[in-house]
DNA sequence: TCTGGGGTCCTAGGACCC
DNA sequence: TCTGGGGTCCTAGGACCC
């Protein structure tokens, strides 16, 4: 008996979260925008039906949005993170062998459930998630992750499946796979799709029957694994305890172009502080810091971008040191005379915070820094992000990312708690 | 005017060593 | 007289994901 996997995926996740908290959004087209209210990152079914594409810049569809009274919201990541946790906790009650794959998806191992009617079980999971969290989900079942992804797509797009599709027991798999465009296969992005189409491979079925050597040569071992998975040979195991993070990044596009070193320093200082918070939340310390900046590639103005990576003498998780390091870096690559659009700070070479190796010439008082960071995080956690912050991050922050249409902090701020009236 | 952010994995090529 | 080869580590870049 081969193993079976279910992929559970929340429908239109960000838009669905907004609807849970604001029922007025039901039945209306809803879109959620990325940082800076730049691009569409989530769409309700009604918005999809209007032809609004994923990733489209908001300014390009502004008249369409207005004409159809589309409800437009900025991203509210605190809300989505909370809702995600509720969904995952619900799933765990049904199936403890699960891999949380992303904010809105989980793979479930159904190997121990083969005596059941799996479709029926999936319908029960789906109904329970809806009842407990308000989030609609779809479930795809198959022998491998890649096939489960395809099954999930069928469940989402075929109304009479009622949100659950079992590809394993499907009688006409070949015909079904032949209706899946190759660019819809998990792991086939724009580049591979174009390449495969040029070689006459247009569907998931054709990719499944592709020549192994050909795939190995042009798409590497990743491509070969993908093809094997399409054939029902599991190559991507369920990963219940994800590997520790390899890097932590904080980067943002500016709300308006940055033209002075002072503003750039403020931004980079804020990003370093934010990345340092994430670092401590994961109980990690960093040895390698990368800073980068770039101008707006969509514009016809002079272009410049640069990146600098350097290694710290001693691994650290202290905001003060990391800001200082990031500022030294950005000062070296900053050039006058450009309109900067984006900058960022990346931490790599992460080590566990409790095994920091000191060095002979280390002059920092580590115990003192540690106490300071614990206090800083506790205050910001209690009273809200940025209650305490470093002066180098600036006060005015005219470069800051814009969120003009953010919904309230329903789940993370008492004053935004939703109020329910009953009659 | 206006085009996101945060990740992972793999590969090729250079530096270095023995 | 006539320029080795293999292993390891690191980095940059490319592909993909949500």
């Amino acid at each position: 008996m081969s193993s079976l996997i279910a992929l559970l995926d929340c429908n239109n996740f960000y838009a669905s979260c907004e609807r849970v908290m604001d029922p007025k959004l039901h039945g209306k087209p809803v879109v959620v925008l990325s940082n800076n209210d730049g691009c569409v990152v989530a769409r309700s079914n009604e918005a999809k039906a209007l032809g609004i594409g994923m990733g489209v810049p908001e300014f390009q569809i502004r008249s369409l949005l207005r004409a159809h009274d589309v409800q437009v919201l900025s991203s509210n990541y605190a809300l989505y993170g909370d809702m995600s946790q509720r969904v995952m906790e619900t799933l765990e009650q049904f199936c403890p062998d699960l891999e949380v794959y992303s904010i809105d998806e989980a793979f479930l191992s159904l190997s121990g459930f083969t005596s059941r009617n799996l479709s029926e079980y999936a319908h029960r999971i789906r109904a329970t998630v809806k009842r407990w969290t308000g989030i609609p989900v779809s479930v795809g079942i198959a022998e491998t992750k890649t096939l489960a992804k395809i099954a999930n797509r069928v469940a989402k797009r075929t109304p009479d499946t009622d949100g659950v599709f079992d590809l394993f027991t499907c009688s006409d798999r070949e015909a079904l796979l032949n209706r899946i465009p190759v660019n819809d296969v998990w792991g086939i992005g724009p580049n591979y799709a174009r390449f495969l189409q040029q070689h006459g491979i247009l569907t998931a079925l054709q990719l499944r029957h592709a020549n192994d050597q050909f795939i190995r040569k042009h798409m590497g071992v990743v491509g070969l694994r993908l093809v094997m998975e399409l054939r029902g040979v599991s190559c991507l195991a369920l990963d219940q305890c994800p590997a520790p993070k390899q890097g932590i990044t904080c980067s943002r596009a500016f709300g308006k172009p940055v033209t002075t070193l002072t503003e750039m320093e403020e931004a980079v200082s804020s990003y370093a502080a934010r990345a340092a918070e994430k670092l401590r939340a994961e109980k990690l310390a960093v040895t390698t810091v990368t800073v980068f900046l770039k101008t707006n590639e969509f514009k016809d103005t002079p272009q410049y971008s640069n990146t600098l990576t350097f290694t710290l003498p001693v691994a650290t998780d202290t905001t003060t040191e990391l800001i200082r390091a990031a500022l030294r870096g950005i000062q070296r690559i900053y050039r006058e005379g450009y309109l900067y659009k984006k900058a960022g700070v990346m931490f790599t070479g992460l080590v566990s915070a409790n095994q920091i190796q000191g060095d002979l010439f280390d002059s920092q008082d580590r115990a003192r820094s540690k106490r300071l960071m614990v206090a800083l995080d506790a205050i910001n956690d209690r009273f809200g992000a940025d209650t305490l912050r470093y002066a180098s991050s600036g006060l005015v922050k005219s470069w800051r990312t814009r969120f003009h249409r953010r919904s309230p902090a329903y789940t993370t701020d008492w004053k935004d708690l939703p109020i329910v009236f009953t009659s």
Side-chain angles (χ1 to χ4, degrees):
Chain A
M1 180 67 209
S2 62
S3 65
L4 278 184
I5 291 175
L7 171 63
L8 185 138
D9 190 321
C10 300
N11 300 346
N12 317 328
F13 184 56
Y14 295 175
S16 299
C17 290
E18 297 290 350
R19 275 186 175 164
V20 170
M21 292 297 159
D22 185 358
K24 288 198 298 294
L25 299 173
H26 278 284
K28 293 183 186 167
V30 177
V31 302
V32 178
L33 302 178
S34 64
N35 279 345
N36 267 326
D37 295 341
C39 301
V40 172
V41 291
R43 307 155 292 158
S44 70
N45 289 342
E46 297 80 0
K48 288 178 186 172
L50 290 173
I52 297 171
M54 183 67 174
V56 176
E58 184 266 349
F59 76 91
Q60 286 177 2
I61 53 167
R62 198 161 291 165
S63 56
L64 181 77
L65 295 174
R66 202 163 320 133
H68 293 88
D69 192 27
V70 176
Q71 308 298 300
V72 181
L73 295 152
S74 305
S75 299
N76 186 342
Y77 296 112
L79 171 64
Y80 312 148
D82 258 22
M83 294 301 291
S84 172
Q85 206 180 333
R86 294 179 194 182
V87 170
M88 300 307 168
E89 281 167 6
T90 307
L91 295 182
E92 260 172 45
Q93 309 213 356
F94 283 92
C95 179
D97 293 342
L98 95 171
E99 173 186 345
V100 176
Y101 177 70
S102 73
I103 194 164
D104 69 339
E105 282 171 87
F107 289 105
L108 279 56
S109 165
L110 298 179
S111 299
F113 296 78
T114 43
S115 57
R116 289 171 183 269
N117 178 331
L118 291 178
S119 252
E120 207 175 279
Y121 194 56
H123 277 294
R124 249 180 62 205
I125 298 177
R126 185 170 179 270
T128 307
V129 173
K130 181 77 169 90
R131 195 161 59 241
W132 291 4
T133 70
I135 300 290
V137 300
S138 304
V139 189
I141 301 169
E143 307 96 290
T144 67
K145 285 182 169 179
T146 308
L147 289 173
K149 274 270 182 186
I150 289 177
N152 189 284
R153 179 184 178 281
V154 174
K156 267 214 177 74
R157 298 197 183 190
T158 322
D160 62 11
T161 60
D162 201 21
V164 175
F165 185 75
D166 181 354
L167 184 61
F168 183 60
T169 56
C170 170
S171 55
D172 208 0
R173 301 166 62 112
E174 297 248 318
L176 187 142
L177 289 178
N178 210 32
R179 285 198 297 274
I180 307 289
V182 76
N183 53 294
D184 278 352
V185 174
W186 192 39
I188 303 297
N191 274 287
Y192 286 150
R194 200 175 336 107
F195 171 79
L196 291 169
Q197 284 154 2
Q198 279 162 5
H199 289 82
I201 297 172
L202 309 178
T203 71
L205 185 68
Q206 288 172 324
L207 182 57
R208 177 192 206 182
H209 293 318
N211 177 274
D212 286 5
Q213 280 76 46
F214 173 80
I215 296 296
R216 175 71 182 82
K217 175 156 183 245
H218 294 102
M219 297 169 62
V221 294
V222 177
L224 196 55
R225 274 206 290 260
L226 189 161
V227 171
M228 297 305 286
E229 284 247 323
L230 283 178
R231 294 174 189 163
V233 180
S234 179
C235 302
L236 304 169
L238 202 78
D239 193 0
Q240 289 181 55
C241 35
K245 268 198 188 357
Q246 310 228 332
I248 287 174
T249 304
C250 182
S251 74
R252 298 263 138 65
F254 303 126
K256 75 173 189 53
V258 160
T259 54
T260 67
L261 179 58
T262 307
E263 285 180 309
M264 181 62 81
E265 286 173 341
E266 287 177 10
V268 165
S269 168
S270 310
Y271 301 164
R274 175 70 194 116
E277 274 174 16
K278 293 192 207 172
L279 197 63
R280 291 192 295 275
E282 304 264 345
K283 305 212 179 314
L284 295 169
V286 54
T287 55
T288 304
V289 176
T290 299
V291 291
F292 69 87
L293 44 67
K294 53 171 67 169
T295 49
N296 189 343
E297 58 200 324
F298 295 104
K299 287 211 158 166
D300 206 13
T301 46
Q303 297 289 310
Y304 171 65
S305 78
N306 209 345
T307 303
L308 181 65
T309 298
F310 50 95
T311 301
L312 303 171
V314 182
T316 182
D317 64 355
T318 304
T319 301
T320 330
E321 285 178 69
L322 290 166
I323 287 179
R324 210 182 303 141
L327 287 179
R328 268 202 310 272
I330 209 72
Q331 285 153 5
R332 281 180 51 192
I333 56 177
Y334 184 89
R335 300 285 175 272
E336 280 303 330
Y338 293 98
L339 300 166
Y340 291 98
K341 177 61 185 172
K342 186 175 182 175
V345 177
M346 278 188 272
F347 296 157
T348 50
L350 304 181
V351 297
S352 173
N354 54 32
Q355 45 183 244
I356 296 176
Q357 293 259 325
D359 96 351
L360 222 46
F361 308 101
D362 188 9
S363 55
Q364 281 275 323
D365 179 349
R366 307 238 153 237
R368 189 168 168 276
S369 306
K370 179 149 187 70
R371 287 197 303 276
L372 180 60
M373 288 305 113
V374 168
L376 177 80
D377 291 336
I379 289 170
N380 284 337
D381 193 47
R382 174 94 170 71
F383 299 102
D386 273 358
T387 301
L388 269 188
R389 56 186 192 270
Y390 284 79
S392 56
S393 300
L395 293 172
V396 181
K397 297 195 175 190
S398 55
W399 41 268
R400 199 158 53 182
T401 307
R402 290 184 303 257
F403 291 95
H404 287 320
R405 289 177 273 214
R406 176 132 60 186
S407 55
Y410 298 110
T411 60
T412 50
D413 195 331
W414 287 108
K415 71 181 191 322
D416 287 345
L417 203 65
I419 296 166
V420 179
F421 297 98
T422 53
S423 52

